[in-house]
């Protein structure tokens, strides 16, 4: 992600006390970085690789205005662009910069060039990772997994052009077929991208976005395999719009499941005494939760509240979504799946909307992954953090669910909010 004047002004020293002597780095892409020392001084640096050696070249201090001494963002970009041309021609730009502090020679190549490709950096990382391995089979697997699954899609891409979507596409192709291999592949791809960021070839913002998207893919278990077929996030708003045209409580239950990113059993068993319409809160007791580690508090977005307020209240049942023919029984899980199949959706299941939500949050928003995990009611896998953490981030999850509700109903892109039809029994 490119730097802007606002980001430059907001750039702060490294926040970690353990890194008090390190400079914070803010990437602009293609080797150009803004460095902030512990005193808040800001300078430009160009990271590059020449003769298989990684180098860092200080360009000068930051200037926010053309008339001040130092380099503005545009000037730093221009200088980095010229030095990339030199590197492409096999010329180290450091002597040029130190000796003259002027533009490179006029006869320098003007070929538009990118940084190293994913494959080039991957080969360097593989060499480093396998150099001390005594198990030859394990070392060979490092190469084979990347060659088989990653290189066909990512291999020839300049590293700075690799996106979260690219990595996700590679992983999803094998995630459910060979989950153990897919998990190892994810680890190896991220190591390559970490290396790229460390050496100035990939911006830290871009790396963070890719990591969040890749790590949003959860480990496949026997408990979860039924719900792994998911609709892409981009397809959910259109599906919601069509779903809004279908009458009946089962369709409303499926809408509510999507809006709250909760499990089918949690929605189907919901009772009115769990829901506080005034506070916009739904609390499912831990006894009804799949893993039962705590109650699940769900902040209700405006579309979710609108849906609930439009529902009929059965005098003979406390269920929010009772079976129309038997009010004492909840809508069945099979009914929700049938609605999707009747609408022509055969590649996804109701539980998959939780994956759609997780993917959307990772790739399209800046919400912390802990909020997303809390929204999905996943137990924290970090045992130390779990021991001390005593919050479910309810207040912070409100904006997350509001954003998701706006996205799936179309309100995030304008006033075309999906109407919630009156339920018909």
């Amino acid at each position: 992600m490119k730097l802007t004047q606002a980001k430059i002004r907001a750039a702060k020293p490294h926040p970690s006390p353990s890194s008090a002597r390190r400079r914070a780095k803010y990437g602009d892409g293609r080797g150009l970085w803004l460095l902030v020392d512990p005193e808040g001084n800001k300078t430009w640096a160009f990271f590059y690789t020449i003769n298989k050696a990684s180098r860092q070249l200080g360009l000068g201090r930051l200037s926010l205005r053309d008339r001040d001494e130092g380099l503005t963002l545009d000037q730093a970009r221009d200088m980095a662009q010229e030095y990339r041309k030199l590197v492409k021609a096999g010329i180290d730009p450091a002597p040029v910069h130190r000796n003259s502090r002027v533009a490179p020679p006029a006869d320098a190549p003007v070929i538009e060039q990118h940084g190293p490709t994913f494959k080039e950096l991957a080969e360097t990382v593989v060499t480093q990772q396998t150099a001390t391995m005594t198990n030859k089979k394990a070392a060979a697997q490092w190469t084979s997994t990347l060659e088989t699954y990653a290189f066909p899609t990512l291999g020839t891409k300049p590293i700075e052009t690799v996106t979260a979507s690219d990595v996700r596409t590679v992983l999803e192709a094998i995630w459910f077929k060979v989950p153990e291999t897919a998990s190892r592949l994810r680890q190896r791809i991220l190591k390559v991208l970490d290396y790229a960021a460390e050496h100035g070839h990939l911006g830290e913002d871009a790396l963070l976005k890719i990591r969040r998207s890749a790590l949003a893919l959860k480990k496949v278990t026997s408990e979860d395999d039924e719900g792994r077929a998911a609709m892409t996030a981009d397809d959910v708003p259109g599906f919601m719009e069509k779903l809004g045209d279908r009458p009946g409580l089962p369709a409303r239950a499926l809408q509510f499941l999507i809006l709250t990113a909760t499990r089918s059993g949690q929605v189907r068993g919901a009772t009115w005494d769990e829901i506080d319409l005034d506070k916009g809160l739904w609390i499912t007791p831990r006894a009804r939760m799949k893993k039962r580690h705590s109650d699940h508090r769900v902040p209700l977005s405006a579309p979710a509240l609108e849906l609930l307020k439009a529902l009929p209240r059965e005098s003979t049942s406390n269920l929010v979504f009772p079976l129309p023919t038997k009010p004492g029984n909840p809508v069945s899980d099979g009914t929700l799946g049938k609605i999707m199949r009747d609408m022509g959706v055969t590649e996804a299941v109701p539980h998959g909307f939780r994956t759609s939500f997780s993917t959307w949050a990772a790739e399209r928003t800046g919400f912390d992954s802990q909020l997303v995990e809390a929204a999905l009611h996943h137990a924290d896998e970090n045992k130390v953090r779990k021991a001390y953490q005593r919050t479910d981030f309810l207040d912070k999850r409100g904006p997350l669910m509001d954003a998701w509700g706006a996205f799936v109903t179309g309100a995030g892109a304008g006033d075309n909010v999906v109407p919630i039809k009156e339920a018909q029994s």
Side-chain angles (χ1 to χ4, degrees), residues 56-115:
Q56 174 182 336
L57 174 61
L59 304 182
R61 68 183 183 85
L62 167 71
S63 171
L64 293 174
R65 297 177 297 182
D66 288 334
R67 61 177 178 271
D68 293 340
E69 293 184 6
L71 296 174
T72 64
L73 174 59
D74 287 340
Q75 290 169 337
R77 284 174 175 168
D78 289 343
M79 184 176 289
Q81 172 65 11
E82 293 302 322
Y83 289 166
R84 281 193 293 271
K85 295 174 185 175
L86 286 180
V87 173
K88 179 69 173 179
I91 302 171
D92 191 338
V96 175
H97 183 78
R98 285 195 301 267
N99 295 335
S100 65
R101 296 295 179 96
V102 296
D107 60 350
V110 293
I111 302 171
E112 175 66 21
Q113 69 99 35
H114 293 283

Side-chain angles (χ1 to χ4, degrees), residues 29-230:
R30 302 185 66 188
L32 180 62
W33 292 79
L34 178 69
L35 308 181
V36 185
D37 68 19
E39 287 73 41
N41 300 309
K42 300 176 182 179
T43 56
W44 294 107
F46 177 58
F47 290 72
Y48 61 102
T49 300
I50 191 164
N51 297 326
K52 298 184 178 180
S54 298
R55 306 283 177 84
Q56 174 182 336
L57 174 61
L59 304 182
R61 68 183 183 85
L62 167 71
S63 171
L64 293 174
R65 297 177 297 182
D66 288 334
R67 61 177 178 271
D68 293 340
E69 293 184 6
L71 296 174
T72 64
L73 174 59
D74 287 340
Q75 290 169 337
R77 284 174 175 168
D78 289 343
M79 184 176 289
Q81 172 65 11
E82 293 302 322
Y83 289 166
R84 281 193 293 271
K85 295 174 185 175
L86 286 180
V87 173
K88 179 69 173 179
I91 302 171
D92 191 338
V96 175
H97 183 78
R98 285 195 301 267
N99 295 335
S100 65
R101 296 295 179 96
V102 296
D107 60 350
V110 293
I111 302 171
E112 175 66 21
Q113 69 99 35
H114 293 283
T117 64
F118 178 88
K119 182 178 179 181
E120 290 170 343
L121 288 186
E123 289 172 344
T124 300
V125 173
V126 168
T127 299
Q128 293 178 350
Q129 292 292 320
T130 59
T132 59
M133 286 186 178
T134 56
N135 186 327
K136 293 183 178 181
K137 181 178 180 181
Q141 286 176 343
W142 250 92
T143 301
S144 65
T145 52
L146 290 170
E147 287 181 344
T148 303
Y149 302 112
F151 288 172
T153 300
L154 304 177
T156 59
K157 277 182 169 287
I159 197 70
E160 72 272 19
T161 69
V162 174
T163 67
S165 179
D166 293 332
V167 174
R168 186 90 179 196
T169 297
V170 169
L171 295 175
E172 286 182 339
I174 63 170
W175 195 255
F176 307 114
K177 298 176 183 176
V178 281
E180 289 301 321
T181 300
S183 182
R184 294 191 188 101
L185 177 65
R186 174 172 66 180
Q187 181 185 27
R188 290 160 189 173
I189 289 174
L190 292 180
K191 277 192 176 293
V192 174
L193 298 175
D194 284 340
Y195 178 88
E198 289 171 5
H199 291 79
H201 301 302
L202 183 67
E204 291 185 353
D205 286 344
L207 174 63
L208 177 61
K209 191 171 185 179
I210 293 171
R211 288 189 69 87
R212 289 177 59 200
S213 175
L215 293 173
L217 284 167
K218 297 301 174 186
K219 183 177 180 180
V220 178
T221 66
S222 58
E223 293 179 333
D224 295 332
D225 58 358
E226 177 273 331
R228 287 293 160 178

